[in-house]
């Protein structure tokens, strides 16, 4: 995968953005291999950034103004995940995970923090992984899963600014489309599967000795962490809940009731999941989501009255569940009462494409701000979750696909 950096200087820019791109005097493309390093600039307030993929590249945006900061040309289809340190983003493509420094970060200093910006940069090294898959950030550790080999790599994301960090390696018995989660006590939970099927999860201690397993989870897919380090893994007929090394199966109300994508919050014991019931559908467009109560071990469906996609799920700062519907609205759900408390109109109505790689409106949440892409118009919208107002809209140069906040 080749990459070229183009530093973008917008016509209207914040002072922090200008200082963050110091050293670039115009919009002339910069040669990544010869550009002189630029020292970071301290700014008065945090200046977080976003990463957005498009056909052929990734753009870094200022999260407040939505103005472009830099653009990287990349070959092939790419996927994005926050690295876990509030600064870096992992790009999944080809034969590994590449590291994108968005160039904005904060450093704690006693009772306050110092904030910095710099020009974004794409590392010239990567975490090698055959068929790079899920990225999980938990307990201050980032865990990478390689679907092609079943290898798990873990590292401290806060060391990324120093170069390639040391990684710990765990090898699952067989390659599969899986996921792994590092635990606060040094343990780990990984999925069980092979190239033909996936059946459940196994809990390992800090020495990687098996503590528990459950293989009553056909098609296990995805994970989410709830309050008190409780983990949820989706099945074709419910979920597995892992709490303190004990695995509990919660059965779906339907014989085939797939919960394949989940979104959790440390502020809530309830996990949000999608919910599909048509096993034979080429592409099911469900109108219900499922709430997983990890305390009561109960599933509660919520009818939205509109469909959504796997890129529609998110959580707010208070643990509220968020779903971006094909009706164009952001549906805000109280997870305790399982009711839709608010609908925020954001984009025009849309239809989920048949191919999962194709662009569609996508939700990303950072703090109290929800970011929603609108590929049909090439726009990006920022929504204040406290007020429900769309506070900013930006016209992007390229049709957006995936989006993530570094913070």
């Amino acid at each position: 995968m080749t990459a070229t950096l183009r530093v973008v200087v917008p016509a209207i820019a914040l002072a922090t953005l200008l200082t963050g791109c110091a050293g670039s005097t115009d919009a002339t493309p910069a040669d990544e291999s010869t550009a002189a390093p630029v020292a970071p600039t301290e700014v008065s307030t945090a200046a977080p950034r976003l990463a957005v993929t498009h056909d052929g590249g990734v753009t870094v945006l200022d999260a407040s103004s939505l103005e472009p900061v830099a653009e990287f040309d990349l070959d092939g289809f790419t996927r994005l995940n926050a690295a876990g340190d509030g600064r870096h983003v992992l790009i999944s493509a080809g034969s590994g995970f590449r590291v994108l420094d968005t160039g904005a970060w904060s450093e704690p200093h006693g009772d306050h923090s110092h904030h910095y910006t710099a020009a974004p940069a794409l590392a010239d090294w990567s975490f090698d992984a055959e068929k790079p898959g899920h990225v999980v950030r938990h307990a201050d550790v980032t865990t990478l899963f390689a679907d092609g080999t079943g290898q798990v790599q873990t590292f401290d994301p806060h060391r990324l600014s120093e170069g390639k960090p040391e990684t710990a390696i765990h090898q699952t018995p067989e390659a599969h489309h899986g996921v792994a989660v590092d635990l606060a006590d040094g343990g780990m939970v990984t999925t069980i599967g092979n190239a033909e099927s996936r059946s459940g999860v196994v809990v390992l201690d800090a020495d990687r000795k098996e503590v528990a397993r459950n293989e009553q989870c056909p098609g296990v897919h995805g994970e989410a962490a709830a309050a008190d380090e409780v983990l949820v893994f989706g099945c074709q007929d419910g979920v597995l809940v892992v709490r303190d090394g004990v695995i509990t199966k919660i059965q779906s109300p339907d014989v085939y009731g797939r919960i394949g994508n989940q979104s959790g919050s440390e502020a809530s014991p309830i996990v949000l999941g999608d919910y599909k019931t048509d096993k034979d559908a080429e592409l099911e467009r469900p109108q219900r989501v499922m709430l997983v109560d990890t305390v009561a071990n109960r599933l509660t469906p919520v009818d939205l009255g509109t469909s959504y996609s796997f890129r529609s799920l998110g959580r707010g700062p208070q643990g509220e569940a968020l779903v971006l519907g094909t009706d164009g609205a952001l549906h805000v759900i109280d997870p305790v009462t399982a009711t839709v408390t608010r609908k925020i109109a954001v984009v025009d109505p849309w239809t989920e494409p048949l191919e999962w790689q194709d662009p569609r409106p996508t939700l990303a949440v950072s703090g109290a701000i929800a970011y929603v892409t609108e590929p049909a118009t090439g726009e990006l919208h920022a929504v204040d979750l406290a007020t429900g107002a769309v506070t900013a809209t930006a016209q992007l140069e390229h049709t957006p696909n995936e989006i993530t906040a570094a913070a």
Side-chain angles (χ1 to χ4, degrees), residues 17 22 29 126 193-194 201 203 222 287 319 322 327 358-359 380 387 394 396:
L17 187 59
S126 65
N194 53 42
V201 302
V203 181
Q287 297 196 6
L322 307 172
D327 59 353
D358 287 348
L380 173 63
T387 64
L396 304 179

Side-chain angles (χ1 to χ4, degrees), residues 324-329 345-351 361 374 376-377 379 381:
L324 178 63
T326 57
D327 59 353
V346 184
V347 300
D348 289 335
W350 53 283
T351 301
E374 189 166 11
T377 61
E379 293 177 315
H381 310 280

Side-chain angles (χ1 to χ4, degrees), residues 252-289:
S252 290
D254 299 277
V255 174
Y256 180 85
R258 183 178 187 270
I259 303 171
N261 299 280
Q262 309 87 35
S263 183
S265 168
E266 294 183 358
S268 172
I270 299 174
V271 166
L272 168 68
D274 59 359
Y275 191 63
K276 295 185 176 182
T277 57
D278 187 350
K279 185 177 182 180
D280 300 319
E282 179 181 13
L283 175 64
E284 183 178 354
R285 295 183 169 92
Q287 297 196 6
R288 288 187 295 170
V289 293

Side-chain angles (χ1 to χ4, degrees), residues 25-395:
T25 57
D26 53 35
T28 303
D31 184 338
E32 183 182 18
S33 63
T34 61
V38 179
T41 300
E42 186 167 2
V43 293
S44 59
T45 59
R49 289 172 176 172
L50 307 168
V52 181
T53 65
H54 56 267
D55 185 11
V58 178
T59 301
V60 178
L61 306 172
D62 181 280
S64 298
S65 67
L66 306 186
E67 293 281 2
V69 181
E71 183 180 313
F72 297 85
D73 295 332
L74 295 169
D75 295 334
F77 177 72
T78 55
R79 306 207 66 190
L80 296 175
N81 286 278
D85 64 343
R87 171 176 177 176
H88 293 85
V89 169
L90 296 175
I91 302 174
S92 307
S95 58
F97 299 90
R98 293 198 68 178
V99 178
L100 171 62
D101 183 351
T102 65
W105 67 96
S106 298
E107 297 178 1
H109 187 190
D111 60 354
H112 64 282
S113 293
H114 291 259
H115 311 290
Y116 301 90
T117 60
L122 187 65
D124 57 5
W125 53 267
S126 65
F127 294 98
D128 294 338
E130 184 178 334
K131 295 183 180 179
H134 283 262
V135 175
V136 177
R137 304 164 303 279
H138 185 71
D140 268 344
V141 175
T142 301
T143 306
L144 313 177
F145 198 97
D147 291 349
T149 61
Q151 185 185 78
V152 178
Q153 300 180 67
T154 60
F155 62 91
D156 178 354
H158 301 284
R159 305 301 295 271
L160 286 171
S161 58
E162 304 168 7
K164 188 173 183 178
E166 293 185 3
T167 59
I169 304 296
H170 172 73
Q171 182 63 51
T172 63
E174 297 182 85
H176 63 285
H177 178 51
V179 66
V181 185
D182 248 46
L183 303 175
D185 64 0
M188 177 181 286
V189 183
T190 73
T191 49
I192 302 168
N194 53 42
E196 281 72 44
S197 64
R198 304 183 302 275
S199 60
V201 302
V202 59
V203 181
L204 308 173
D205 65 15
D207 296 321
R208 299 301 178 252
K209 295 180 179 179
E210 184 174 318
V211 174
R213 73 165 47 212
N214 184 303
E215 296 192 55
Q216 305 303 311
C217 184
V220 59
H221 186 270
E223 59 72 38
D228 301 320
E229 203 181 31
V230 179
L231 305 179
V232 172
F233 298 82
C235 316
Q236 292 178 353
D237 59 356
V239 296
L240 295 181
V241 176
V242 181
R243 176 190 292 272
D244 298 328
V246 177
I247 308 172
T248 302
K249 172 68 178 288
I250 308 178
Q251 199 74 26
S252 290
D254 299 277
V255 174
Y256 180 85
R258 183 178 187 270
I259 303 171
N261 299 280
Q262 309 87 35
S263 183
S265 168
E266 294 183 358
S268 172
I270 299 174
V271 166
L272 168 68
D274 59 359
Y275 191 63
K276 295 185 176 182
T277 57
D278 187 350
K279 185 177 182 180
D280 300 319
E282 179 181 13
L283 175 64
E284 183 178 354
R285 295 183 169 92
Q287 297 196 6
R288 288 187 295 170
V289 293
M290 191 65 74
L291 298 176
V292 183
D293 188 328
T294 64
V295 175
N297 288 330
R298 180 178 61 234
L299 300 181
T300 303
V302 178
D303 193 339
L304 300 175
T306 185
S307 63
Y308 55 93
S309 88
F310 73 98
R311 293 181 183 163
S312 292
L313 308 181
R315 302 302 290 265
Q318 308 304 318
E320 59 269 46
L322 307 172
V323 184
L324 178 63
T326 57
D327 59 353
L330 188 60
H331 297 246
V332 182
I333 302 170
D334 182 332
V336 176
T337 63
T339 57
V340 177
T341 60
R342 185 167 51 176
K343 296 180 183 180
I344 305 171
V346 184
V347 300
D348 289 335
W350 53 283
T351 301
E352 181 182 4
L354 289 176
E355 297 296 331
W356 71 268
Q357 298 98 331
D358 287 348
R360 80 286 307 282
T362 298
L363 171 68
V365 182
S366 180
I369 304 297
Y371 298 94
V372 178
T373 64
E374 189 166 11
T377 61
E379 293 177 315
L380 173 63
H381 310 280
V383 181
D384 185 330
L385 293 172
T387 64
V390 177
T391 57
T393 293
Q395 183 69 51

